[in-house]
């Protein structure tokens, strides 16, 4: 069964304190792994797509990496505006998107 | 460019009433997804359409839920009769799938409260 697990559930960081979020997955044929950001009361907003192990993508203070079993979202020197829930999703050969339950990030000034 | 448009944004109804949620995907996108989000279960895939055809509805909770996509620019999710446990935020998302799979673009969601 396709499954996505994210950890930790919640993370509190001081401004400037770098850290990583984890997304581990089991899927019958990975067609893509996606990272999203969700702010309260909003729909998820697309951040990155990773297609194969070893691939990396960067955007401002965020960097996503992918291995055969997991993905990491590295946050370098976070700012309070980076506070949000970060969601990981996988797309299988069946074309469904399966989401993890997310990591709620709070960055304290 | 207009994103995915959902209506209504908020709906409060009483148990037993019919609820219809509406979605207009991004023009040109060929896949449409309906999700339900709750604190306990996160984002759950309800149904997935490709080129207006339902491909996978295994996530639809029960016969009270139905979804249609009569054309490429409109989809509905209907709950009849509604129950308090249906209270959640319902998201519609669309994507353009070509050689590589495209990312999902989400609407702002429809928050449903069933009393």
């Amino acid at each position: 069964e396709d499954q996505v697990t994210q950890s930790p559930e919640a993370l509190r960081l001081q401004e400037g304190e770098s850290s990583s979020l984890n997304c581990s997955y089991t899927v019958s044929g990975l067609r893509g792994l996606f990272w999203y950001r969700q702010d309260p009361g909003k729909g998820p907003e697309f951040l990155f797509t990773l297609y194969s192990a070893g691939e990396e993508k960067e955007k401002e203070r965020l960097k996503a990496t992918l291995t055969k079993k997991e993905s990491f979202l590295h946050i370098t020197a976070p700012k309070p505006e980076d506070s949000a829930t970060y969601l990981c999703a996988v797309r299988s050969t069946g074309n469904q998107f399966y989401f993890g339950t997310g990591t709620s990030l709070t960055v304290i000034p | 460019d207009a994103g995915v448009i959902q209506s209504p944004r908020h709906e409060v109804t009483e148990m037993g009433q019919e609820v219809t949620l509406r979605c207009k995907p991004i023009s040109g996108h060929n896949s449409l997804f309906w999700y339900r989000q709750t604190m306990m279960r996160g984002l759950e895939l309800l149904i997935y359409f490709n080129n207006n055809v339902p491909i996978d509805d295994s996530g639809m909770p029960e016969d009270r839920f139905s979804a249609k996509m009569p054309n490429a620019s409109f989809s509905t999710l209907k709950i009849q009769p509604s129950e308090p446990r249906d209270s959640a935020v319902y998201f519609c998302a669309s994507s353009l799938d070509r050689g590589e799979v495209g990312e999902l673009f989400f609407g702002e969601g429809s928050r449903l409260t069933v009393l």
Side-chain angles (χ1 to χ4, degrees), chain A residues 36 38 51 91 96-97, chain B residues 35 37 56 97 101 104 108:
Chain A
Y36 284 81
Q38 186 174 24
Y51 291 105
R91 195 153 193 197
Q96 298 91 336
F97 271 92
Chain B
Y35 284 88
Q37 188 175 42
D56 183 0
D97 296 332
V101 294
L104 286 180
E108 292 294 287

Side-chain angles (χ1 to χ4, degrees), chain A residues 43-71:
Chain A
E45 177 186 345
F46 170 73
L47 293 173
F48 303 110
T49 308
L50 301 166
Y51 291 105
S52 57
E55 191 175 357
E56 299 182 353
K57 294 274 180 73
E58 283 190 69
K59 180 180 178 180
E60 296 180 355
R61 295 177 292 281
L62 300 177
K63 179 180 177 180
T65 61
L66 180 64
T67 71
K68 288 187 177 180
K69 292 186 177 181
E70 58 190 350
S71 176

Side-chain angles (χ1 to χ4, degrees), chain A residues 11-29:
Chain A
L11 183 62
R12 289 172 64 90
L13 299 173
Q14 290 292 134
E15 184 171 2
E17 179 187 1
S18 301
S19 188
S20 295
L21 313 182
N22 177 264
C23 170
S24 62
Y25 63 90
T26 55
V27 64
S28 54

Side-chain angles (χ1 to χ4, degrees), chain A residues 28-45:
Chain A
S28 54
L30 180 70
R31 296 196 65 194
L33 185 139
F34 301 80
W35 282 97
Y36 284 81
R37 169 191 171 125
Q38 186 174 24
D39 292 297
K42 301 283 189 180
E45 177 186 345

Side-chain angles (χ1 to χ4, degrees), chain B residues 4-32:
Chain B
V4 175
I5 299 172
Q6 292 187 243
S7 65
R9 290 294 314 277
H10 301 275
E11 175 95 8
V12 180
T13 190
E14 293 189 347
M15 183 172 63
Q17 296 299 305
E18 177 179 296
V19 174
T20 298
L21 308 178
R22 298 173 177 80
C23 175
K24 177 178 168 53
I26 292 173
S27 177
H29 280 192
N30 58 358
S31 294
L32 184 140

